[in-house]
Structures are given as C-alpha cells and as structure tokens.
Amino acid sequence: MSIKQGDTLNLYYTGRFESGGIFDSNVGKKPFTFTVGAGQVIEGFDKAVIGMRVGEKKEFKVAAEEGYGLSRDDFIFELNKEAVGLSEAKVGDAVTLKTEDGGFVNASIISVNKDRVIIDANHPLAGKELHFEIEIV
C-alpha cells in the first residue's frame, strides 16, 4: 500500500547539506515517527514520502522554500546589550526572545561590539538546500 496524507510513518533518515556534511540522522537509533501532512515535518519532506511503500529507500532534495524557508534580512536585528540583558553575550550564543504576541523564538548572536549585539532569528537551516536519505520501516 502506498503512503498517503494522514498515514503515520516510522523511518530512518540522514539529512545532509549540499556540501555533503550531515546535519542530522537517526540511523542506528529509534525510528522517527510522524503523520504525513500534519505539519510535523518540513513541506518538502512531507511531499517526498507520498507514494512510497514500507521497506522502500529514497534519496531526495528539499529546496529552501520547501524546507526552513529563505533567510530573511528582517529576522536579523541589532539590540542594545544592556537593555535586553545580554551584557556578557558572545558570538554564537543561543538566545530565546519573547515576541510581541507573547510567543518565543530561538535566535543566535552573530556579532557583538561594546554596546550592541546583532541577533539572527532565522532558523539555522533557512536558505539551505537539504538532501535526505530515508528508509520507511
């Protein structure tokens, strides 16, 4: 039976950058479980499993637009270190910021000077083409 929207899958995956470096994998670990079309994985991943069968392996690419989106300049901003409590901030530090609507977003510090920090709230995989190898189990 072919996989369709609403099916719950168990699979092994390895995610690689275009350069070949691995950014995530569950091979040798517990299978990853998700429901197709439920918004639990990136759009390109959801689309790629449609029509596959249990036991099937597949390699595919996901463009940034169907992955974590394009990197957005409006997600990079400069803040006063003292005003946001980041007086000891270092480049590469992860921070969690409260949004205007009361939610939270993870970000990273990409630049620090005497009084200011520049923070990037883009997803770390935004703007990247992703390559996957999967096996439906």
Side-chain angles (χ1 to χ4, degrees):
M1 183 191 302
S2 293
I3 294 168
K4 62 189 179 317
Q5 291 275 11
D7 288 347
T8 297
L9 303 182
N10 293 305
L11 59 85
Y12 292 107
Y13 68 89
T14 298
R16 298 180 189 277
F17 295 112
E18 192 171 8
S19 64
I22 295 174
F23 63 84
D24 197 14
S25 179
N26 74 334
V27 174
K29 302 174 187 170
K30 181 180 173 187
F32 173 63
T33 302
F34 76 100
T35 301
V36 180
Q40 298 169 331
V41 295
I42 56 177
E43 179 183 359
F45 201 98
D46 254 339
K47 287 180 177 180
V49 299
I50 299 290
M52 291 183 70
R53 297 178 183 276
V54 173
E56 188 175 348
K57 295 179 181 181
K58 183 176 186 177
E59 292 185 26
F60 59 94
K61 298 177 193 176
V62 175
E65 295 85 352
E66 289 191 336
Y68 292 92
L70 298 173
S71 185
R72 294 177 44 172
D73 289 342
D74 61 327
F75 282 17
I76 299 173
F77 45 94
E78 189 172 345
L79 301 170
N80 179 294
K81 286 189 332 187
E82 297 297 328
V84 293
L86 295 173
S87 58
E88 302 299 319
K90 298 184 300 300
V91 171
D93 284 353
V95 294
T96 301
L97 305 172
K98 189 171 184 178
T99 62
E100 291 176 358
D101 64 1
F104 294 91
V105 64
N106 294 320
S108 62
I109 296 175
I110 59 173
S111 179
V112 177
N113 66 31
K114 182 180 177 196
D115 301 317
R116 314 285 288 169
V117 292
I118 298 177
I119 295 177
D120 185 349
N122 283 291
H123 188 283
L125 298 177
K128 296 184 177 15
E129 178 180 88
L130 306 176
H131 297 242
F132 290 95
E133 299 168 23
I134 63 172
E135 178 182 4
I136 309 293
V137 294

